[in-house]
Structures are given as C-alpha cells and as structure tokens.
Amino acid sequence: MDDFLAARSQMALSLGFHIIFACIGMVMPFFMATSHYRYLKTGEKEYLQLTKAWSKGVAIFFVVGAVSGTMLSFELGLLWPKFMEHAGPIFGMPFSLEGTAFFIEAIALGLFLYGWNKFNKWLHWFTGVIVGISGLASGILVVAANAWMNSPAGFDYINGEYLNIDPIAAMFNEAWFTQALHMILAAFAATGFAVAGVHAGLLLKKTKVSFHKKALRIALSFGAVAALLQPISGDISAKDIAQRQPAKLAAMEAFFVTEKGAPLLIGGIPDEETQTVNYALHIPKALSFLAFGDFEAEVKGLDQFPKEDHPPVAITHYAFQVMVGIGGLLMLLALLFFISRWKKPLWEDKKWFLRLFLLATPLGFIALEAGWIVTEVGRQPWIIYGIMRTRDALTPMPGIQYSFYLFTAVYLSLSVVVLFLLSRQIKALETSTD
C-alpha cells in the first residue's frame, strides 16, 4: 500500500466511523428531550424511564464522537499538511465555532445527567434541549467546512497564493446550506429508524410493550418526517451540484457523453473503458429535468472534462444508487408509519409491521455512508475543488501505512467498546420489568 492510498484509506475509515456516532449523538438528545417533555406534561413514569435510558445512550455516543472527532482533527494535520497550511486560515472559523458548540454541549450534557432532582424541572429539561441544539450546531459547522472544500469561497487564488481572505464568505459558501440540510435530514432519518428498529425488536419479544411503543413512536415521528423531506433536500442538492460540480453529477449518474434531453439511469454497471453503462434502466429526459428543471436541457458528460479530472465513476455511481434506493425505501416506510397512526387497531401490534422496522434498523446508516462516499469520492481528484489536488496535499512523511494500521486498530477497539455498552443497555431494557 503506497502512502497516498494509505492516507486516503485512513481518512475514509475515520470519517466513516465518526459520521455514524456523530449523527447519533447529534439527534438522540432531541428524542431524549421529547420523552422528558412528555413526562413533565403527563407524569407517566414510562417516559421518565425512557428519558433516562436514552440519556445513557447520548452519553456513550457523545464520548465516542468526541474521541473520533479529535482524532480526525489530528489526522488533517498529520496526513494533509499542505491543505491545512493554505486552507486553515480560510475555513478555520467554522472549526473554531464548532469547538465552542462542543464545549457548550459537554457542559449542558453534564448538567442534564447530574441534574435530576437538583434543578427546577423545566430548567433541567432545557439543559437537555441545549445538548441537542449545540450538537446540531456543531454538525452544521463541520458540514460548512466540508462544503467549502466542494465550493471554495472567501479568498482570491492568484499565482498560487491565497489572498484577500474572508472567513465569513468561506463559511457561508454556496454549498453550505444544501449540504447542511441534506446531512441533518439524513442524520434524523438514519437515527430515527435505527432507534425505532431496536425498540421494534424488543416489542417482538413482548417485553415492556407500552414502554417500547412510546419509544418507537417518538423515534419514528422524527425519522419518518425526515425521510419524507429528504427527497426535497436531495433535489435541491442535485440542482446545486449540476451547476457547481458537473463532473461529480456525471460520475453520480455514470453519464459519459454530453447530451440534451439526458435520460436518468437507474442501476447499471459502468464501464469506464468503453464509456458505457450496462443493465441500466433509462428514463428518457428525466436527468435533464431533475438537474435543470427542463426536459431538453443539456447535461455535461465526462467527455467535457480532462481524463485526469474525472472522479472514480463506478464507486460514485454505485454509492449514489444505494443512497437513493434506500432513501426511497425509508420514505415508503415513513408513509406506512403515518398510515398506521390513523388506523384502529394500530399496526404496531402486528408482527409483520414490527419486523419491517427491525429489518430497516441499519438502512439509514448505510445510506448515510453512501452519501458521504458520493460527496468525498465524487469531488476527486480535488481536495479543494478546482484548486488543490488531493495528491498535492499529501504529507511527505513516509510510512503512512503504519499510521493507517494503528488508527484502524483504535477504531475497531472503539467499535467493540460501543457495541458492548449498547448491548448492555438494550439487555437492561429487555430484562427489566414493568
């Protein structure tokens, strides 16, 4: 494994690990606060039990997200020093603000966890809300930094120098809103369906039925709404990418030849040598409409870009298809959930209904990972789109593969610890009595 592949593999592993735990840690506090609010309004002890159970999960994911996020910060400087040398002064502001949001989240979480029966009950509830808001702000700020890599702004690039730096313009670049919106909805959908899946599995075992029904409804209320809004966000993102990163759009769709009235491809196996896509379903003119709102609009293919600027087509296309396919499936499940809320008797008592959501437990996170592959791999070969190539940002230090092996071991160890702690929490819910 050469140093460049090792460095990219290490960042892929780190981001792939961190994004799951960061998203759960960002979303779960809202579930916790909702359950806590219902306890304060109704006095039902099951909501109190649920709040305390979920707060333990929030604490676990906060700690793991903090550890993996800190490691990522070090990796940026270790692996990509040229990138940090030039980019740091430009997009450092969102990272600095993210640190502030992180500290607020940590303080609020500590107050919530140790504030039972010590604060005014509504002040205590509000500290839980602050955990969610600060976590959400932290996620948005990190995504703003990533969006800057896709849509560089806030500086002038003249003769290889970065001049007239404006950190505010860099943070609020053209891509930050669309990426942040898409990411937030993805986090809520993935976490909502995952948490609901856990409680659906426990409902199938007929343990604490009323308790787990309450949990299922709260989690799916958030996850289902996000899943139904996600296609709107995806459409906004696709139109934005078509304008700013047409090569990425071409890779996502495995679109090799520029064409007016371009068809949308569903599935298919791209062949980059022959520039064809086999076994795909073609929907006439649909890509032109989705990208530009015009059935006859011209969509640029990869033939319009130098070969050295082509993103890896196959992996980008497959990841995009996985993301969209799972997104569509979760949208159908969201509709099923809302229909079930109108029916009497509710489908929540039906095994087939619970099994569907149990099977859907990992799907949101698979789509989340696929979406980040599209974002990151689809930007290649650029680390700063159109300005700095990823290879040019690589550290000259040799032996990066050993760093990759070390970080892999650390992340695997963290995964084992998290799975152990979560299994204990789930077992406690399963074996406890009403």
Side-chain angles (χ1 to χ4, degrees):
M1 180 183 293
D2 64 28
D3 287 341
F4 184 56
L5 178 59
R8 291 191 64 193
S9 298
Q10 183 173 323
M11 286 301 299
L13 172 72
S14 302
L15 283 168
F17 180 93
H18 178 70
I19 192 174
I20 292 178
F21 296 102
C23 285
I24 297 174
M26 181 173 70
V27 171
M28 278 293 294
F30 289 99
F31 298 179
M32 177 184 76
T34 301
S35 177
H36 193 188
Y37 176 81
R38 291 188 178 178
Y39 164 67
L40 294 176
K41 296 297 287 185
T42 66
E44 293 185 42
K45 293 295 184 181
E46 286 177 332
Y47 283 123
L48 175 61
Q49 294 168 6
L50 181 57
T51 302
K52 290 186 175 182
W54 277 347
S55 69
K56 293 176 183 177
V58 170
I60 292 169
F61 286 110
F62 174 82
V63 171
V64 178
V67 171
S68 59
T70 302
M71 291 172 68
L72 267 171
S73 300
F74 284 114
E75 286 178 66
L76 283 171
L78 173 70
L79 301 175
W80 317 104
K82 285 293 183 183
F83 169 71
M84 293 304 294
E85 175 188 351
H86 297 294
I90 304 170
F91 80 111
M93 178 175 285
F95 274 139
S96 300
L97 293 175
E98 190 273 337
T100 303
F102 171 79
F103 285 124
I104 293 172
E105 183 182 5
I107 293 168
L109 180 58
L111 291 173
F112 184 84
L113 291 175
Y114 295 101
W116 291 101
N117 303 317
K118 294 181 177 67
F119 300 143
N120 171 278
K121 64 180 183 179
W122 288 108
L123 176 61
H124 183 223
W125 170 79
F126 186 66
T127 61
V129 175
I130 293 298
V131 174
I133 293 173
S134 55
L136 191 63
S138 181
I140 290 172
L141 289 164
V142 169
V143 171
N146 179 266
W148 178 84
M149 297 165 69
N150 286 296
S151 180
F155 65 98
D156 294 322
Y157 186 64
I158 302 172
N159 297 326
E161 294 187 49
Y162 298 77
L163 306 173
N164 304 321
I165 293 173
D166 182 350
I168 299 294
M171 185 166 67
F172 295 107
N173 57 80
E174 291 183 0
W176 84 269
F177 175 76
T178 56
Q179 278 197 212
L181 177 64
H182 202 58
M183 185 66 207
I184 290 166
L185 291 175
F188 272 94
T191 305
F193 278 92
V195 172
V198 170
H199 290 282
L202 293 172
L203 277 171
L204 284 168
K205 296 182 178 182
K206 302 295 184 183
T207 59
K208 301 186 69 172
V209 171
S210 178
F211 174 88
H212 291 300
K213 277 187 177 180
K214 288 179 171 61
L216 181 81
R217 290 169 187 172
I218 291 173
L220 278 181
S221 294
F222 281 96
V225 169
L228 291 175
L229 292 176
Q230 192 68 294
I232 300 173
S233 165
D235 181 65
I236 295 171
S237 295
K239 286 180 167 58
D240 178 59
I241 289 171
Q243 295 289 341
R244 291 186 302 97
Q245 294 178 295
K248 177 186 282 189
L249 178 69
M252 288 161 55
E253 299 290 348
F255 195 67
F256 291 102
V257 180
T258 302
E259 185 178 344
K260 291 184 178 180
L264 178 70
L265 274 62
I266 298 178
I269 300 175
D271 186 333
E272 295 184 55
E273 293 298 322
T274 62
Q275 297 195 344
T276 57
V277 182
N278 301 312
Y279 313 112
L281 174 65
H282 292 68
I283 302 178
K285 302 187 178 183
L287 180 57
S288 290
F289 179 76
L290 291 174
F292 299 102
D294 180 357
F295 286 106
E296 299 299 330
E298 181 178 89
V299 178
K300 289 184 178 180
L302 289 168
D303 61 336
Q304 295 293 303
F305 306 95
K307 193 169 183 61
E308 63 270 19
D309 291 347
H310 288 191
V313 176
I315 187 171
T316 306
H317 177 69
Y318 295 144
F320 180 67
Q321 295 291 311
V322 168
M323 180 185 69
V324 172
I326 292 178
L329 181 58
L330 294 183
M331 186 173 64
L332 292 176
L333 289 174
L335 290 172
L336 187 67
F337 166 69
F338 286 120
I339 292 171
S340 77
R341 299 297 296 144
W342 297 331
K343 287 185 65 65
K344 303 292 182 183
L346 298 176
W347 287 342
E348 291 167 359
D349 298 318
K350 305 294 184 182
K351 286 187 176 180
W352 65 266
F353 181 85
L354 296 173
R355 283 172 179 156
L356 275 178
F357 286 96
L358 176 60
L359 291 171
T361 301
L363 293 184
F365 291 114
I366 295 172
L368 192 70
E369 295 285 9
W372 270 100
I373 290 172
V374 172
T375 299
E376 297 300 292
V377 177
R379 188 181 63 245
Q380 299 307 313
W382 307 99
I383 192 168
I384 306 176
Y385 188 71
I387 292 175
M388 179 184 288
R389 293 181 183 272
T390 306
R391 184 175 288 278
D392 295 336
L394 180 66
T395 178
M397 183 179 72
I400 295 299
Q401 65 268 31
Y402 302 112
S403 171
F404 168 62
Y405 301 144
L406 174 62
F407 275 77
T408 300
V410 171
Y411 283 125
L412 287 175
S413 300
L414 279 173
S415 299
V416 171
V417 171
V418 171
L419 290 173
F420 171 72
L421 293 174
L422 289 179
S423 65
R424 284 184 60 185
Q425 293 301 317
I426 294 171
K427 194 171 291 185
L429 291 175
E430 182 181 353
T431 57
S432 61
T433 58
D434 288 318

